Every structure is written in C-alpha cells, then in structure tokens.
Amino acid sequence: MDHRTYGPTDASKVFRKLGTCSRTFFHILNREFGHPKELEELAADSLAGGILQQGQQCGMLWGASLAVGGEAYRKCKDQNEAICVAIKATQDIMESFSKNENTINCRDITHCDFSSKLSFAKYMFSGRFLYCFKMADRWAPDAVKAALNGLSPKEIDRHSVSISCATEVARNMGASDEEMIMVAGFAGGMGLSGAACGALSAAIWMKSLALYRKESKKVSLKNPSLKNIFETFYKTTGSKIRCDAITGMDFNTLDDHTNFIRNGGCDSLLKVLAKS
C-alpha cells in the first residue's frame, strides 16, 4: 500500500500500519513535507515508548523532532541556522504535545513499564493501548501545525555558532550532514528541556539506522548493539538519564547549550556514545 495515502487526519490508521508511535509521527510529518525517508523512519522504532521503551519522552516527540530536523536541513542555508531552527521547531512541538497531555513522558501516558511482562499484559488487556491511538488522532493536526510554525519563525535568533550535543554524537558516528541536523532537536534532553539525554537518543537512532542498512531486516528493540549503548551510557553517567541531572545545568537558551559543549561539557560522554 502506498504510504503517501496516509496523513494527519488518520494518524491511528498510520500507527496501526507502522507499529510504533515514533515511526508514525516521523512518517506523518515527512509526508507533510513531501520527503519520505523509509529507512530513517524504520530506525525511529528504537525511540518508541521513550527510548527503547524505557518510558521517557513519548516516541511521538522523538519521531516528530527527527522530521522537523530533516526539514530544517532542507530549508536553511547553513548548519548553524538549521540547528537553531530544528531546536525551535522541536520546542514548539513539545509545547503542543504537553498542552494536549500535560506531560511529555511515555510512562505517564501509558501507565506501563514495558520492561515488565506483567505491566505490559495489563497495558494490553486493559485496553490502555487504545488511548495511544486516540491520542495520535487527536494530536496529529496540532503536531503538523506546531512543526510548520516552528520551521517558519518570523525572526530567526541567529547564532554565529550553534551546537547540538546530539549532532556532535551523530557526526562522530559518521552521519551525513542531513542526519546530523535530523537529530539536532534532541539537544539538551530534547528542545533544551533537560529531560532524557538527547545524545543517547541520537546514538541509538544512528546505530539502528546502521543496522537497517547492513542487515535489511527488522531490528529488534532488544538488539545487543542497542542494549550495549544503554548499558555503556548508564555506566558512564552513574545511572542518570536526565540531561539536567547529568550536566547539572538548565539550558535556558541555545547559547547556554552551545557554550557548555564548546567548553568540554559532556565531552567524555559524547565520545563514549559515539564509540558504543
């Protein structure tokens, strides 16, 4: 079936077809922009359920952020501007989502610990999973509106240098220029929010993309390569996953984040993730 027949008005249908919330919203926005990215969308499965189903930021947000990052790459004249726009669009998407759900976290929405067979069984048999389909239908039009608004700011806050921790990890993993900007909005725990580490998510997505390109088959969320990234990350951070807990910082502006990374902040973590 031609995926291009799907759109934001039937998000639950897309969700049921594609299988994960992260891939669904990457797909919906990519079709809105007119630039399908099949392998990149498949790799976004690894960000479903809050980064390998760990319960952090909802996968819909990770997928949407990847899509606006790709569009920022196409719209902007240079990398600094593209990073700035990708982060701004991600922030707008997060604000829209939070207004709808009063949270950005998967576990708050699903009430499910996907690592627990019992919790997952309750999630399925209680019918709670249906809420995610309804949420997709409800939020999709607003997600598109927020994305377009974020990608078309009346005034761009121009920076001579713009740095995203997620972009730096992707760069060190051999990403293309486009892939580096796709993950740019993950910066500072996604949209500079201080939530679960954006550099970790960039590394997970990049590894998933590499596995799809190499193996050309479904990549399990329990793939040893992906689990290794998580285990290495937790060992390096002392089991912390939130950006604000790892850095001890609140990034109020992109300049704050840029200066932090330029001055060596998270340098060892970014190198470890890139090599995982």
Side-chain angles (χ1 to χ4, degrees), residues 226-242:
L226 301 181
K227 290 180 67 177
N228 178 65
I229 294 175
F230 240 122
E231 290 169 1
T232 301
F233 173 86
Y234 274 128
K235 183 177 180 179
T236 304
T237 65
S239 298
K240 298 173 183 176
I241 192 167
R242 285 187 60 93

Side-chain angles (χ1 to χ4, degrees), residues 53 112-125:
Q53 297 186 317
C112 181
D113 175 0
F114 288 104
S115 67
S116 166
K117 291 182 179 179
L118 177 59
S119 183
F120 181 70
K122 288 181 178 178
Y123 171 68
M124 295 302 292
F125 286 114

Side-chain angles (χ1 to χ4, degrees), residues 166-211:
T167 294
E168 295 307 300
V169 167
R171 185 198 311 278
N172 291 332
M173 294 179 75
S176 67
D177 290 346
E178 183 176 19
E179 290 158 2
M180 288 192 292
I181 303 304
M182 279 185 179
V183 300
F186 294 0
M190 186 183 284
L192 308 181
S193 68
C197 179
L200 168 64
S201 295
I204 292 284
W205 180 71
M206 283 293 299
K207 179 65 72 172
S208 298
L209 185 56
L211 289 169

